[in-house]
Amino acid sequence: MIVIKNRHTGAVMYQFSRENFDNAHLWGANFTEADLSNMVLSECNLGSARFIGADLRGAVFSNSNLSYADFTDADLAGVQIRWCNLTGTNFGGACLTVVGQ
């Protein structure tokens, strides 16, 4: 089971009865202020999802659709984004750390 909590209050935002996010269809999901640190999101449809102010430190996005997702003010330190659609994605104010290949 996956439980996603608010990064500041610890309140449960979402519960999923699955073991991982592989192939999840979460178009337009609202993960504002969520703690998604160290999550692996492979082959997910996260287009237009909101990650505003979210904690995504150490998360891995692989082969996912992140088109028009909003990462405004998100903490993306150590995040890995591999082979993802980033068309129109907003990283305004996000904490980004770029590493070599």
Side-chain angles (χ1 to χ4, degrees), residues 80-83 98-101:
Q80 296 178 46
I81 299 175
R82 297 183 226 151
W83 306 290
V98 178
V99 295
Q101 296 182 13

Short mmCIF file of all heavy atoms in Angstrom, two decimals, residues 80-83 98-101:
data_model
loop_
_atom_site.label_atom_id
_atom_site.label_comp_id
_atom_site.label_asym_id
_atom_site.label_seq_id
_atom_site.Cartn_x
_atom_site.Cartn_y
_atom_site.Cartn_z
N GLN A 80 15.71 12.18 -10.04
CA GLN A 80 16.16 11.68 -11.34
C GLN A 80 14.98 11.71 -12.30
O GLN A 80 13.92 11.16 -11.98
CB GLN A 80 16.67 10.25 -11.21
CG GLN A 80 17.89 10.13 -10.32
CD GLN A 80 18.32 8.69 -10.21
OE1 GLN A 80 18.40 7.97 -11.20
NE2 GLN A 80 18.60 8.25 -9.00
N ILE A 81 15.17 12.37 -13.43
CA ILE A 81 14.13 12.43 -14.45
C ILE A 81 14.74 11.86 -15.72
O ILE A 81 15.64 12.45 -16.31
CB ILE A 81 13.65 13.88 -14.68
CG1 ILE A 81 13.06 14.43 -13.37
CG2 ILE A 81 12.63 13.93 -15.80
CD1 ILE A 81 12.67 15.89 -13.44
N ARG A 82 14.27 10.66 -16.10
CA ARG A 82 14.85 9.96 -17.25
C ARG A 82 13.78 9.66 -18.28
O ARG A 82 12.76 9.05 -17.96
CB ARG A 82 15.45 8.63 -16.81
CG ARG A 82 16.57 8.76 -15.85
CD ARG A 82 17.13 7.38 -15.53
NE ARG A 82 17.28 7.31 -14.09
CZ ARG A 82 17.21 6.22 -13.38
NH1 ARG A 82 16.96 5.06 -13.95
NH2 ARG A 82 17.39 6.24 -12.10
N TRP A 83 14.02 10.06 -19.50
CA TRP A 83 13.17 9.74 -20.65
C TRP A 83 11.71 10.12 -20.40
O TRP A 83 10.78 9.34 -20.63
CB TRP A 83 13.28 8.27 -21.03
CG TRP A 83 14.69 7.84 -21.26
CD1 TRP A 83 15.50 8.20 -22.29
CD2 TRP A 83 15.47 7.00 -20.42
NE1 TRP A 83 16.73 7.64 -22.14
CE2 TRP A 83 16.74 6.89 -21.01
CE3 TRP A 83 15.23 6.33 -19.22
CZ2 TRP A 83 17.77 6.15 -20.44
CZ3 TRP A 83 16.24 5.59 -18.67
CH2 TRP A 83 17.49 5.51 -19.28
N VAL A 98 21.32 19.62 -10.71
CA VAL A 98 21.60 18.95 -11.98
C VAL A 98 22.88 18.15 -11.82
O VAL A 98 23.89 18.67 -11.34
CB VAL A 98 21.74 19.97 -13.12
CG1 VAL A 98 22.08 19.28 -14.42
CG2 VAL A 98 20.47 20.79 -13.26
N VAL A 99 22.83 16.87 -12.18
CA VAL A 99 24.01 16.01 -12.10
C VAL A 99 24.32 15.49 -13.48
O VAL A 99 23.46 15.40 -14.34
CB VAL A 99 23.80 14.85 -11.11
CG1 VAL A 99 23.64 15.35 -9.71
CG2 VAL A 99 22.60 14.00 -11.51
N GLY A 100 25.57 15.09 -13.68
CA GLY A 100 26.00 14.54 -14.97
C GLY A 100 25.44 13.16 -15.19
O GLY A 100 24.85 12.54 -14.31
N GLN A 101 25.68 12.65 -16.39
CA GLN A 101 25.15 11.33 -16.76
C GLN A 101 25.98 10.22 -16.19
O GLN A 101 27.09 10.13 -16.13
CB GLN A 101 25.07 11.21 -18.27
CG GLN A 101 24.09 12.20 -18.82
CD GLN A 101 23.97 12.04 -20.34
OE1 GLN A 101 24.42 11.07 -20.92
NE2 GLN A 101 23.36 13.01 -20.96
#
